[in-house]
Amino acid sequence: MINAMRFPGADAMASAAVGAAEVIADLRRDADRLGVPVVYVNDNDGQWHAERSRIVEACRDAGDVQRRLLDLIAPRHDDYFIIKPQLSGFYATSLEVLLSQLGARRLVMTGMATEICVQFTAADAHMRGYDLWAPGNATASARPEHQDWALQIMRRSFGAEIAPTTALTLAGWADAASSRPAGPWNRNP
């Protein structure tokens, strides 16, 4: 979500991205209350010498929508921040090691673009046995039909929960996930 949005379809995604960021801000507050770590997995945006502050500043300098995203969900000092070079948050990053160190079993997947980065990361998380929730209102796509399509793939193929945050809370999802029997997508019942 921390992105200068210099890609095809960015203008069409702007409104959805801001809407998702508003929901993500609420989820982040819930995570704080529950003591759940927040991990940003962010594109390097073609900046191969980048680190966290450079990516945030590039977003701040990119325009009004990008500044609004930062106003809502800029990474905080204690949030984890991983830079990814490709579509999946797991590909060529330290995400898997970090999640293992945190003892994570369940992941809440948010971000943009639902049908690309979120879906690829969800696929890799599924292959690693994580329980997944991709709240439909906390992800963004340039086209609503692509959003719906990707969420349905995550639900059907990865066993992900896709209910919006208006129908499911973070605490409710964590409670429900902890009581599910072991299955192909739940390695740690």
Side-chain angles (χ1 to χ4, degrees):
M1 292 296 293
I2 308 304
N3 191 299
M5 296 181 71
R6 295 183 192 111
F7 52 83
D11 290 341
M13 190 182 303
S15 176
V18 170
E22 290 169 348
V23 174
I24 293 167
D26 290 339
L27 277 169
R28 187 170 74 174
R29 281 188 287 277
D30 292 345
D32 290 346
R33 278 192 292 278
L34 294 169
V36 174
V38 174
V39 180
Y40 287 74
V41 181
N42 222 83
D43 286 334
N44 70 6
D45 201 21
Q47 301 179 59
W48 291 98
H49 292 98
E51 43 75 40
R52 177 185 185 147
S53 66
R54 288 174 88 175
I55 290 172
V56 169
E57 285 311 307
C59 185
R60 188 176 314 285
D61 294 340
D64 293 338
V65 169
Q66 296 83 343
R67 281 189 293 279
R68 178 70 178 135
L69 293 174
L70 287 173
D71 288 346
L72 290 164
I73 57 167
R76 303 161 302 180
H77 177 71
D78 290 339
D79 293 329
Y80 296 94
F81 194 92
I82 292 175
I83 299 171
K84 66 183 178 82
Q86 287 287 327
L87 305 173
S88 171
F90 285 93
Y91 178 75
T93 74
S94 59
L95 181 59
E96 190 166 7
V97 174
L98 173 62
L99 294 174
S100 176
Q101 290 296 310
L102 293 173
R105 300 181 330 195
R106 302 175 196 102
L107 306 178
V108 179
M109 311 290 298
T110 67
M112 65 177 166
T114 312
E115 72 278 18
I116 303 171
C117 298
V118 177
Q119 184 177 339
F120 278 68
T121 303
D124 282 349
H126 169 68
M127 288 188 288
R128 288 162 174 80
Y130 289 99
D131 245 354
L132 302 173
W133 178 28
N137 59 341
T139 64
S141 181
R143 297 179 61 182
E145 63 271 20
H146 291 180
Q147 168 103 353
D148 294 341
W149 169 77
L151 289 168
Q152 289 306 317
I153 287 174
M154 286 184 256
R155 183 181 65 76
R156 289 184 185 124
S157 299
F158 312 154
E161 174 62 65
I162 61 168
T165 60
T166 55
L168 184 61
T169 65
L170 181 59
W173 178 72
D175 288 344
S178 67
S179 65
R180 279 193 356 202
W185 50 81
N186 187 2
R187 68 176 174 176
N188 296 312

